[in-house]
Amino acid sequence: MSFRLLVAAAAAQARRRTYSQAARCGGGQTLVEKIAQRHAVDLAEGEVVRSGDFIGIRPHHIMTHDNTGAVIPKFSSIGARRLADAQQPVFALDHDIQNTSAKNQAKYAGIEAFAKTHGSKFYPAGRGIAHQVLVEEGHAWPGTMVVGSDSHSNMYGGVGCLGTPVVRTDAAAIWATAQTWWQAPPVARVELRGELAPGVVGKDVIVALCALFANDEVLNHAVEFVGDGAKGLPVEDRLAIANMTTEWGALAGLFAVDDVTLRWYDERAERGAHAIVNPDTVAKLRRDVAADPSRWTADPDAVYAKTLWLDLASLTPHVAGPDSVKIAQPLGELEPRRVNIHKAYLLSCVNSRQKDLREAANVVRGVQKARGVPAKVAPGVAWYVAAASSQVLADARASGDWQVLVDAGATPLPPGCGPCIGLGVGLLEDGEVGISATNRNYKGRMGSKTAHTYLSSPAVVAASALQGYICSPETAISGTALPPSARPVLYGSQVHAAKPAAASSDAANSAINGFPKSLSGRLIFLPADNLNTDGIYPGKYTYQDDISREQMRAIVMENYDPEFARLVRPDDVVVAGANFGTGSSREQAATAILAAGVRLVICASASETFKRNAVNNGLLVLESPVLVAWLRAAFPEAPLTAVTGLIADADLVGGKIALTDSKGAVAFETGLPRVGKAAQEIIVAGGLENWVRKRMAAEL
């Protein structure tokens, strides 16, 4: 789930400041907060959801894909026998669909049987990538909140649906109880100004944003896209942008529902009879938007953590890489280097919709028209293409676009993830270079760790496949290279000052029975940033299932600082640097800290997966970059594990912390995220699985 909240640092530290939306900020609500409010459960009367709040949520749907096979035993292990809401889960097989082994087919059959037994929606291998299927089938519906056990669940924001990822334990909990918990993230307002030039598409927008704002500006934020530029984007480009907010570091990427969205649904409703997307449901959506426009947009006085802006008119086609989404450059600057390629990919949930396939096919058509001969993939290049869904494939075939690509030499793959996640045929081999319309280009993701991958739009992929090196469609069609841009890309940012806190109800600031309103203990400072899960709990112990809690206590932080286990005492409050718990998803990183007697970790920022694993096991993780900045200034020469001599008194329901020195004088005070009822219940239960068991027992 999420413990995320960036708190405003001092004005003198303007470049490092992050916004404090500690619990009860005044002002109106963002669109993210409004949608979360509609899906929140057990709120106190009059309680308004704000960034930083821990809330219980009942999402409209929970999506799992191939990993359904791993969630089923979790579901069974907590004693669940039936789904709390059989219509809530959606199962869609998409990742390893090229694997026809008996083992994988048995796994797929087991998932299908589970869905049939419980009466839930199931989409078999070949129907398409889960995210695309959820949008096409109307499960990701405007104004709702849909979670998925996959990081690219952000994509649903392209149609005005708040999509965000959860971990597998959360998925099992939702199956069993219909709900889980969430900490509403800080929200960044991203203003897109102006209009894209011809040949520049949504993929260029998000690739540029990832590179222009590459210093974690939106890490663990939700992003709301606004402005005249956002309103001018087609839904397909919005889906691509929302999808890759994941790579940008965000937990959600959201566009407001507008006329463009509604027209897109009008067109889909005309496709034929459908249970969800049909003339009646779309007409109702239109009536709802017209009846209460404020429900579908942020309030004029909504409180944002920051505003970023990008001038779309100044943007040219961009290419990310190699091997990082945070490195990108205008195509006009990269093309003169003639980066030769071995493989090209037009597939994935970000860029293999009908619009994408058409743009690639039009490049092929343009080359054929200019040369007067059939266009073919360059010698030595392999080009792979897969539609995002069977519906997209049918449309592409009907339009002729699919055959144009195949005739040019592209190798067709079934609708699914495939090479994007390093599965199936067509992977990059040692030393090869690939150009891809996918969303990630990390080393080793699409094959060999010695290969290199660049990311671009579908049209650039097509042109590069035909030419044999990374180039523009103009080069492939006319032989005239795209010139370097005459002016730089225009962009900027602003971090907002905090507004006065608004009063909250007594119920919202109360503690349930068994939950400590406050925690007090020695402050142990770990100054390092990027302290990963291997540093917290070494990988060599991960699969030793017989390690006791006492043994865990002895080895916690072994790879970071062997002295930690000797120095730490029960009830100490650990404060750490940025990106705490990054790395693998091993749950033992959280349980080992608990084994040491620590109940509260505060850090500048934390890995989202680690935070969810922590609270799901009963460990509180809160974020306060202001506190960490103060400690860095107070202890500039701190060792890896610093016993500071300070006592930390954390008010968990009031949302504040005070540090006192050895004489009892207050040395520092600042805000903390307020721990709401949803998180309190899980901490008291000793973790999410125990919470689920207790909830099911209470309903018997």
Side-chain angles (χ1 to χ4, degrees):
M1 172 113 293
S2 81
F3 290 85
R4 53 204 124 179
L5 182 62
L6 295 177
V7 195
Q13 300 172 343
R15 295 189 64 182
R16 290 180 56 87
R17 304 190 288 199
T18 52
Y19 182 63
S20 169
Q21 289 185 313
R24 313 268 25 111
C25 289
Q29 284 182 300
T30 64
L31 183 55
V32 168
E33 291 166 341
K34 287 185 177 184
I35 296 177
Q37 179 101 30
R38 295 199 287 270
H39 292 79
V41 295
D42 298 330
L43 291 181
E45 184 177 354
E47 185 175 0
V48 177
V49 172
R50 302 289 189 184
S51 292
D53 286 352
F54 294 90
I55 58 174
I57 57 166
R58 181 170 182 149
H60 184 52
H61 286 294
I62 164 68
M63 183 281 293
T64 56
H65 42 62
D66 294 35
N67 59 15
T68 306
V71 179
I72 291 172
K74 281 184 173 288
F75 176 73
S76 300
S77 71
I78 56 180
R81 296 293 177 265
R82 63 178 179 83
L83 301 177
D85 179 356
Q87 301 309 305
Q88 194 179 31
V90 177
F91 310 125
L93 304 181
D94 62 1
H95 272 52
D96 201 15
I97 66 171
Q98 296 180 43
N99 181 356
T100 58
S101 68
K103 181 179 180 181
N104 195 55
Q105 294 309 301
K107 171 184 171 179
Y108 280 5
I111 294 171
E112 183 173 9
F114 182 88
K116 184 176 181 180
T117 297
H118 293 278
S120 298
K121 271 292 184 182
F122 171 79
Y123 297 97
R127 174 61 184 89
I129 302 174
H131 304 304
Q132 178 69 16
V133 172
L134 260 69
V135 171
E136 288 180 356
E137 297 286 350
H139 302 304
W141 190 254
T144 67
M145 183 177 189
V146 173
V147 301
S149 187
D150 185 276
S151 61
H152 287 108
S153 300
N154 297 26
M155 191 184 95
Y156 314 142
V159 292
C161 168
L162 177 57
T164 194
V166 295
V167 298
R168 296 173 186 181
T169 301
D170 294 304
I174 295 171
W175 290 2
T177 67
Q179 66 185 70
T180 189
W181 61 283
W182 198 52
Q183 187 187 19
V187 184
R189 180 178 182 272
V190 177
E191 182 181 353
L192 303 179
R193 303 174 180 175
E195 185 178 351
L196 291 173
V200 185
V201 295
K203 183 64 164 289
D204 299 305
V205 174
I206 190 60
V207 164
L209 287 170
C210 287
L212 294 171
F213 301 101
N215 296 309
D216 295 338
E217 285 90 343
V218 299
L219 180 66
N220 291 344
H221 285 56
V223 173
E224 291 183 12
F225 293 97
V226 301
D228 60 324
K231 293 178 180 178
L233 293 172
V235 165
E236 292 81 1
D237 281 353
R238 297 180 186 190
L239 290 167
I241 292 170
N243 181 292
M244 278 192 66
T245 57
T246 299
E247 282 65 44
W248 200 13
L251 299 172
L254 186 62
F255 287 81
V257 175
D258 58 13
D259 286 342
V260 172
T261 318
L262 296 173
R263 287 197 300 271
W264 187 82
Y265 275 101
D266 285 338
E267 293 172 2
R268 294 205 59 80
E270 296 172 359
R271 297 179 67 93
H274 193 279
I276 301 176
V277 187
N278 56 59
D280 290 340
T281 58
V282 174
K284 182 179 184 302
L285 176 62
R286 278 191 170 276
R287 291 195 301 271
D288 290 345
V289 173
D292 187 5
S294 66
R295 176 183 172 89
W296 302 86
T297 60
D299 291 328
D301 59 343
V303 179
Y304 290 96
K306 59 188 65 174
T307 293
L308 312 178
W309 62 269
L310 174 67
D311 180 3
L312 298 185
S314 70
L315 192 64
T316 60
H318 270 58
V319 177
D323 310 324
S324 174
V325 295
K326 292 190 175 183
I327 301 171
Q329 54 201 305
L331 178 59
E333 296 178 8
L334 178 63
E335 184 172 341
R337 303 178 198 169
R338 293 184 68 93
V339 178
N340 293 324
I341 64 168
H342 302 88
K343 290 185 171 75
Y345 303 91
L346 177 49
L347 42 84
S348 83
C349 54
V350 65
N351 267 147
S352 59
R353 283 171 276 279
Q354 174 60 12
K355 174 179 180 289
D356 305 313
L357 299 177
R358 184 185 313 117
E359 289 169 354
N362 284 342
V363 173
V364 177
R365 293 186 179 104
V367 171
Q368 291 179 164
K369 182 177 180 181
R371 298 179 185 177
V373 296
K376 294 293 181 181
V377 174
V381 174
W383 185 11
Y384 299 92
V385 58
S389 72
S390 57
Q391 194 174 97
V392 169
L393 178 58
D395 290 346
R397 282 175 170 161
S399 68
D401 294 332
W402 188 258
Q403 196 60 45
V404 167
L405 298 173
V406 173
D407 288 346
T411 300
L413 298 175
C417 301
C420 178
I421 52 167
L423 293 173
V425 302
L427 305 187
L428 288 168
E429 298 180 8
D430 291 351
E432 288 189 333
V433 175
I435 181 75
S436 181
T438 55
N439 41 34
R440 287 180 177 163
N441 58 351
Y442 310 141
K443 272 183 175 284
R445 176 174 173 85
M446 298 182 69
S448 171
K449 291 182 180 180
T450 66
H452 301 288
T453 312
Y454 293 83
L455 302 180
S456 73
S457 68
V460 172
V461 168
S464 303
L466 298 177
Q467 292 297 104
Y469 66 94
I470 299 176
C471 68
S472 67
E474 290 81 2
T475 297
I477 294 171
S478 66
T480 303
L482 185 72
S485 177
R487 62 170 179 158
V489 178
L490 303 178
Y491 66 99
S493 64
Q494 177 188 4
V495 177
H496 299 303
K499 291 190 176 183
S504 57
S505 68
D506 291 338
N509 282 333
S510 63
I512 66 170
N513 186 37
F515 183 80
K517 288 188 175 182
S518 62
L519 287 176
S520 180
R522 299 187 312 161
L523 192 154
I524 305 296
F525 182 39
L526 312 181
D529 292 330
N530 303 308
L531 204 173
N532 61 38
T533 51
D534 196 65
I536 300 169
Y537 191 82
K540 62 185 179 182
Y541 304 119
T542 301
Y543 298 104
Q544 297 182 29
D545 297 332
D546 58 349
I547 292 182
S548 67
R549 287 182 67 87
E550 189 57 35
Q551 289 172 314
M552 277 189 167
R553 187 195 185 289
I555 61 178
V556 64
M557 300 288 176
E558 181 177 282
N559 282 355
Y560 168 69
D561 181 11
E563 286 294 295
F564 177 86
R566 182 182 66 83
L567 294 171
V568 70
R569 297 177 186 171
D571 296 324
D572 282 348
V573 174
V574 171
V575 180
N579 206 20
F580 184 78
T582 187
S584 78
S585 59
R586 68 191 67 156
E587 291 188 354
Q588 296 100 320
T591 55
I593 293 173
L594 281 167
V598 174
R599 294 188 289 167
L600 174 63
V601 173
I602 304 172
C603 50
S605 62
S607 155
E608 197 59 29
T609 299
F610 176 81
K611 286 184 287 188
R612 291 204 70 85
N613 281 334
V615 77
N616 285 349
N617 283 281
L619 174 67
L620 273 175
V621 178
L622 306 178
E623 294 182 350
S624 177
V626 171
L627 173 60
V628 175
W630 184 86
L631 287 169
R632 290 193 196 283
F635 300 94
E637 304 297 327
L640 291 176
T641 302
V643 180
T644 62
L646 298 170
I647 299 297
D649 292 296
D651 181 348
L652 301 178
V653 295
K656 55 189 176 182
I657 186 170
L659 309 184
T660 56
D661 60 24
S662 59
K663 297 179 180 179
V666 175
F668 184 70
E669 292 179 298
T670 190
L672 285 177
R674 182 178 58 83
V675 182
K677 180 183 177 183
Q680 291 180 25
E681 289 181 349
I682 294 169
I683 297 299
V684 170
L688 185 60
E689 291 187 13
N690 287 336
W691 176 85
V692 172
R693 292 187 184 99
K694 290 182 178 180
R695 192 173 186 89
M696 290 190 302
E699 293 174 353
L700 292 177

